[in-house]
Amino acid sequence: MNIYRFQLPNGIRCVHHQVKSPVSYCGIVVGAGSRDENNDEHGLAHLLEHSLFKGTAKRKAFHINNRLENLGGELNAYTTKEETIIHATTLKADFAKSAELLSDIVFNSTFPEKEVDKEKEIIKDEINSYKDSPSERIFDEYEDLLFAGSSLGHNILGNKKSVSKLGSDAIRKFIKRNYNTDRIVFTSVNSYGENKFKEICYKYLGNIPPNFSEYKRERFEKNNFFRKEFNRNTYQAHCIIGGLAYDCTDEKRITLAFIVNLLGGNSANSILNTVVREKAGLAYNIEAGYTPLSDTGIFTVYFGTEDINVAKCIEMTDKELKKLISGEISERKISIAKKQFLGQLYISNENNEGLMIGAGRSILLYDDIHSLEYIADKIKNITISDIVEVAYETFGRELSILTYK
């Protein structure tokens, strides 16, 4: 696999994976998300993402929606706490068209007030939908509590009241403050070579005026411990146990990602799935997750069960966490878990859309791309003492718990 990267004179970084494929994937990764909103802007980054498709200086919304779809391609976007990602999938021959369209909607959108108002109503429906899904809502509410007092501590969607107050002017101000050329990466995966890739980048992104960031995020350093239970009138109880974890620059993040996969990853033989679901029959779904952010991270264990089983599930989870802290795990189990994790890693790398987005995020966060071989080597060299150290630092303190009943 050939990887090319360079920086345009305006500060936009470009990265390209050359692969043999009739399909082309490309995207623009912007280092701006919901944590970059002011207190009176909750939901703005997400509203902006929706509104990018509603018209540019030379295109109406109809033309944007049909530009790639008429070619059999796709155009999509999503917002996280720290990023906004706009991406397109087309046949190889249409790569230039998708690059031009992405550039147009990111840098030339006009945000007609009438169209923005329509999107606000759609987002309110999205908020209602999310409220009807307690297994999703609990994660947002958990993060609100964990990051209370920080810009990380509010829902990406915002709420109906906050979204209602937003408009085109607010979107333009957010763009001016956050859509800086040194916080933007253009990323692609297709069969084009380096020269053609550079040509397209310079043609559609090279003339964007430089706009370097003067904004710096306030680092999150608090640890908001809590134990809360809310009555949501749900048919089953939902619970999250967790706390803060390593940020995306910490070398121990790879070990923690391995431990979390061992504890409650996608495999049916993960520790918690085996103990809580298969042996005890107490939870239909139990999973562990780890999300590293630029200056902090979050570790969670989520399960859904009957009300009467919540305390038992928490107790069993705590017991397994303590086993990892004390090193009660066999070399054989670790060896199997490494093979599993590496298998998942290599298989996920076959997803070219994920590869494209991952490369863009990596350049944005690290200004570098870690090869599969680098990560695989890190995984292979994890020892029991590494697991004990990371487990102690992550799980060896009072963890915060949120329960819906």
Side-chain angles (χ1 to χ4, degrees):
M1 181 184 295
N2 296 315
I3 302 176
Y4 313 117
R5 55 167 299 194
F6 66 94
Q7 184 170 311
L8 293 167
N10 57 18
I12 296 174
R13 286 166 286 177
C14 303
V15 59
H16 175 60
H17 281 68
Q18 184 180 13
V19 299
K20 290 183 178 180
S21 174
V23 179
S24 172
Y25 303 86
C26 68
I28 291 179
V29 181
V30 184
S34 62
R35 78 170 300 179
D36 302 303
E37 299 163 351
N38 294 327
N39 288 333
D40 59 348
E41 296 177 334
H42 291 180
L44 182 56
H46 179 248
L47 174 62
L48 163 55
E49 172 234 306
H50 273 240
S51 302
L52 285 171
F53 302 91
K54 297 305 171 183
T56 70
K58 66 178 183 181
R59 287 184 171 99
K60 295 185 181 297
F62 174 82
H63 299 120
I64 292 173
N65 292 333
N66 285 279
R67 173 65 168 165
L68 299 185
E69 278 75 0
N70 286 348
L71 302 172
E74 297 176 354
L75 181 65
N76 214 332
Y78 65 91
T79 307
T80 72
K81 288 188 179 290
E82 296 192 322
E83 299 145 357
T84 303
I85 298 172
I86 309 97
H87 58 101
T89 305
T90 61
L91 294 176
K92 171 191 170 182
D94 299 316
F95 170 48
K97 293 178 181 178
S98 59
E100 185 275 330
L101 180 62
L102 290 180
S103 176
D104 191 34
I105 63 177
V106 171
F107 298 105
N108 299 311
S109 282
T110 53
F111 308 108
E113 199 72 58
K114 183 178 179 181
E115 295 295 334
V116 172
D117 286 342
K118 289 179 184 177
E119 288 308 305
K120 285 160 63 173
E121 295 306 310
I122 290 171
I123 289 172
K124 289 175 186 177
D125 286 339
E126 189 177 353
I127 291 171
N128 287 335
S129 175
Y130 126 90
K131 285 183 177 180
D132 281 337
S133 179
S135 61
E136 295 181 16
R137 181 181 183 181
I138 192 171
F139 279 92
D140 286 327
E141 197 150 8
Y142 188 90
E143 292 181 12
D144 287 350
L145 293 167
L146 188 68
F147 296 125
S150 160
S151 58
L152 283 166
H154 64 267
N155 192 315
I156 292 169
L157 300 182
N159 56 62
K160 291 181 182 180
K161 184 177 180 180
S162 66
V163 171
S164 295
K165 295 178 180 179
L166 302 174
S168 299
D169 287 343
I171 290 175
R172 294 187 187 98
K173 289 178 182 177
F174 186 86
I175 287 177
K176 185 176 181 180
R177 189 173 77 239
N178 293 289
Y179 275 48
N180 311 107
T181 48
D182 57 339
R183 293 168 66 188
I184 291 175
V185 177
F186 178 70
T187 174
S188 69
V189 174
N190 55 47
S191 60
Y192 282 103
E194 180 177 11
N195 291 337
K196 186 63 176 178
F197 172 66
K198 282 187 175 181
E199 177 188 325
I200 290 171
C201 290
Y202 271 93
K203 183 174 182 179
Y204 297 117
L205 297 165
N207 61 349
I208 304 301
N211 170 27
F212 296 108
S213 177
E214 298 179 356
Y215 161 76
K216 188 174 182 180
R217 288 170 177 159
E218 183 177 347
R219 185 175 178 84
F220 180 80
E221 295 178 344
K222 297 171 65 177
N223 186 4
N224 297 312
F225 172 76
F226 58 90
R227 296 282 174 91
K228 290 188 177 291
E229 181 178 304
F230 296 146
N231 184 1
R232 298 296 187 208
N233 295 316
T234 53
Y235 284 100
Q236 70 169 175
H238 301 265
C239 182
I240 290 182
I241 307 165
L244 298 181
Y246 305 119
D247 66 38
C248 65
T249 63
D250 199 306
E251 283 295 317
K252 296 177 185 177
R253 74 188 185 279
I254 296 176
T255 301
L256 180 56
F258 168 74
I259 293 172
V260 167
N261 194 66
L262 166 68
L263 184 66
N266 293 326
S267 301
N269 64 347
S270 69
I271 291 173
L272 291 177
N273 195 70
T274 300
V275 172
V276 179
R277 186 181 194 261
E278 298 300 323
K279 291 184 178 180
L282 293 179
Y284 171 72
N285 183 30
I286 184 164
E287 60 192 41
Y290 164 50
T291 303
L293 300 167
S294 60
D295 55 356
T296 186
I298 180 171
F299 153 76
T300 57
V301 171
Y302 160 81
F303 61 83
T305 187
E306 291 188 62
D307 288 2
I308 59 173
N309 295 328
V310 170
K312 182 63 176 176
C313 289
I314 293 174
E315 178 187 339
M316 295 175 77
T317 298
D318 184 61
K319 183 177 179 181
E320 296 307 319
L321 296 178
K322 285 188 167 85
K323 284 183 180 180
L324 290 171
I325 292 171
S326 63
E328 292 182 47
I329 183 170
S330 68
E331 290 283 3
R332 181 175 180 276
K333 180 67 175 176
I334 293 173
S335 177
I336 292 171
K338 286 181 179 179
K339 290 178 182 177
Q340 270 187 334
F341 193 72
L342 289 171
Q344 294 168 7
L345 184 67
Y346 279 100
I347 290 170
S348 68
N349 205 56
E350 291 295 306
N351 177 346
N352 284 340
E353 180 177 275
L355 182 65
M356 175 268 298
I357 293 173
R361 293 185 69 248
S362 185
I363 293 294
L364 183 68
L365 291 170
Y366 311 116
D367 200 30
D368 195 7
I369 296 178
H370 292 145
S371 67
L372 273 177
E373 290 71 24
Y374 170 86
I375 299 172
D377 187 61
K378 290 283 187 181
I379 297 297
K380 290 174 183 176
N381 288 304
I382 291 173
T383 64
I384 288 183
S385 62
D386 293 330
I387 292 172
V388 169
E389 179 183 3
V390 170
Y392 174 76
E393 292 179 356
T394 309
F395 316 138
R397 57 176 180 258
E398 287 289 324
L399 297 178
S400 295
I401 301 176
L402 173 62
T403 306
Y404 283 0
K405 287 188 175 181

